[in-house]
Amino acid sequence: MTPPPTGSTSRIGRSLPVTVRAAAKINLHLGVGAPREDGFHPLTTVYQAIGLCDDVTATRHGDADSDSGSDSGGGLRVVVGGSDWIDLDAVPTDERNLAHAAAIALGRLHGRELEGRLDIEKAIPVAGGLAGGSADAAAALVALDRAFDLDTSDDDLLRIAAELGSDVPFALIGGTALGTGRGELVESVADVGTWWWVLVPDRAGLSTPEVYRHFDKLFPDAPAQPPEADLLLGALRTGQAVSLARTLHNDLQEAAIDLRPELGGLISRGESEGALRGLVSGSGPTCVFLCESADHARDLAGALIRSGHDNVLVANGAVAGAHLVKDHA
Ligand code: C5P
């Protein structure tokens, strides 16, 4: 993961907003083992970043003052906006927001408080199994690092990311990656394909801890070692969607469907409408459908809309991790 270069000119004194984009993730393979002593589950997962993104703009105190007098009171202000079908009320703006927590952690590393404003523009559904909050945290780390001229090393960014949440390091590196540990140890893997996905988010989110707890109830004898991803990693190297379709795997799917039975019907519907495979993304409730091509994905999205699903998205992967899209300097 290479954060955008800060350049040789110091930004101090200019302190203009910086916008960073970070992508949603889906899990192509999610192997889950029995809970560890710390309560987390050991994972073998393959993440893919897809073209459904949130933008985070970091503004240092001073610029924020000129935008709005209400920002001049010190500290960090988080403002959340986004697509009208997203439940923005469910996004906290205090320290429970992972982007806000990212600012505190980054400030602590550099021994200072990062005073200013974070504007989060959301397109990734909340509590959808797509790691939207983790994407915001990763984008905030990179945007704040540049806006405040902190020059944080990649190792420090990845370490803070891992402390913030299991999916945050992946949101920094993007692409397609193998995740181990509790998901926070990430390593890019070979992926020669362009993969087309149809996504069907649910208006009501699912709680990740609740889905993991339900997994423990359904599978009290889960092995300590999660199922490996070798077949899927092989399929990624073929570039063939039919091969990838055969190897997609999610150990949390049964728990998610047990908690939200209509997801089972949605997956069957998508597959009967021609998807190569449908599965729950991560802990759900978003369901994703693998298609042969962009045209195939658009056709499937149309069929799902006609069958009554009003919010259907098309995205491809793999895309980049958290990256600069606008430096207002
Ligand atoms: O790491 P993160 O904060 O995203 O995890 C949210 C919750 O999901 C954890 O508190 C835990 O309940 C569950 N989880 C887990 N095992 C993992 C990752 C997450 O049990 N590997």
Side-chain angles (χ1 to χ4, degrees):
M1 183 266 323
T2 310
T6 44
S8 55
T9 313
S10 170
R11 298 173 51 84
I12 294 170
R14 293 189 292 143
S15 61
L16 292 163
V18 174
T19 301
V20 170
R21 179 163 295 165
K25 65 83 187 158
I26 57 181
N27 300 81
L28 309 181
H29 174 96
L30 181 51
V32 181
R36 313 186 305 199
E37 281 189 357
D38 63 4
F40 282 92
H41 294 70
L43 303 183
T44 301
T45 187
V46 178
Y47 297 106
Q48 183 165 92
I50 57 166
L52 172 67
C53 300
D54 285 356
D55 282 354
V56 175
T57 300
T59 309
R60 266 165 76 154
H61 221 60
D63 297 322
D65 296 348
S66 59
D67 286 339
S68 153
S70 61
D71 288 320
S72 57
L76 186 82
R77 182 168 173 224
V78 174
V79 179
V80 182
S83 308
D84 53 11
W85 50 269
I86 290 182
D87 184 8
L88 296 175
D89 293 339
V91 183
T93 54
D94 58 14
E95 291 81 355
R96 289 169 301 156
N97 186 305
L98 276 187
H100 198 299
I104 293 170
L106 191 62
R108 193 176 298 132
L109 175 75
H110 292 282
R112 59 187 282 195
E113 192 182 347
L114 305 183
E115 299 197 326
R117 172 172 165 147
L118 281 177
D119 286 277
I120 304 175
E121 188 65 19
K122 291 203 66 67
I124 307 174
V126 179
L130 298 169
S134 302
D136 298 345
L141 285 175
V142 177
L144 290 162
D145 179 64
R146 189 171 173 105
F148 285 80
D149 256 326
L150 299 173
D151 216 10
T152 314
S153 68
D154 285 3
D155 282 351
D156 280 338
L157 286 177
L158 283 166
R159 191 177 44 73
I160 294 173
E163 286 164 15
L164 291 167
S166 308
D167 297 332
V168 185
F170 174 70
L172 279 175
I173 71 166
T176 305
L178 179 67
T180 52
R182 59 180 228 277
E184 88 285 18
L185 305 173
V186 285
E187 182 189 339
S188 294
V189 296
D191 176 3
V192 302
T194 298
W195 313 103
W196 285 93
W197 300 96
V198 171
L199 281 75
V200 185
D202 200 315
R203 277 183 200 281
L206 258 180
S207 145
T208 301
E210 191 186 343
V211 176
Y212 273 105
R213 274 197 301 274
H214 203 61
F215 170 87
D216 293 339
K217 217 164 88 187
L218 292 179
F219 303 103
D221 299 322
Q225 203 58 28
E228 295 301 331
D230 298 350
L231 288 177
L232 182 120
L233 293 172
L236 285 170
R237 290 193 289 267
T238 70
Q240 301 294 319
V242 279
S243 304
L244 188 66
R246 276 190 229 113
T247 58
L248 295 168
H249 175 86
N250 182 359
D251 276 340
L252 292 182
Q253 176 156 313
E254 211 172 311
I257 293 177
D258 214 39
L259 292 169
R260 196 65 71 77
E262 63 270 28
L263 300 182
L266 170 58
I267 289 171
S268 305
R269 181 78 198 213
E271 290 180 345
S272 71
E273 294 285 2
L276 296 176
R277 258 302 281 291
L279 82 165
V280 170
S281 174
S283 56
T286 305
C287 289
V288 298
F289 297 93
L290 181 61
C291 295
E292 293 266 17
S293 63
D295 283 344
H296 181 204
R298 279 189 285 266
D299 287 349
L300 177 65
L304 287 170
I305 289 168
R306 283 191 298 281
S307 75
H309 295 278
D310 57 351
N311 188 25
V312 181
L313 310 168
V314 172
N316 70 351
V319 302
H323 61 282
L324 184 72
V325 285
K326 194 163 184 188
D327 183 339
H328 304 257

